Amino acid sequence: MGNWTWFAGAGLVAGLSYLLGHRSGVAIVVAGIVGMLVDSMLGATVQGKVRWMDNDAVNLAATLSGAACAALIA
């Protein structure tokens, strides 16, 4: 899968949110992309090299970074 799928996935979630009455689609897209980028960066650089940084820790960090980004934008 290419990088375009990141944008497609974030856009799909934002579009569904818009259809459900939420008007913060840009914040959703940006937060989703930030979370995916953090996941990829941590997975490629520290996962497996740092003892406590396993897949669950990487997923948690990515989720928290996306949520923080959304909170700052919205």
Side-chain angles (χ1 to χ4, degrees), residues 3-71:
N3 290 342
W4 67 271
T5 57
W6 296 357
F7 297 105
L12 176 67
V13 171
L16 290 174
S17 173
Y18 185 81
L19 289 175
L20 294 174
H22 300 283
R23 302 295 183 236
S24 57
V26 173
I28 293 169
V29 169
V30 171
I33 291 171
V34 166
M36 288 182 280
L37 288 173
V38 168
D39 185 84
S40 293
M41 294 290 288
L42 289 176
T45 57
V46 296
Q47 183 177 341
K49 295 177 182 124
V50 177
R51 181 182 153 157
W52 55 270
M53 187 62 84
D54 60 358
N55 189 53
D56 292 333
V58 169
N59 289 340
L60 176 63
T63 300
L64 292 177
S65 65
C69 181

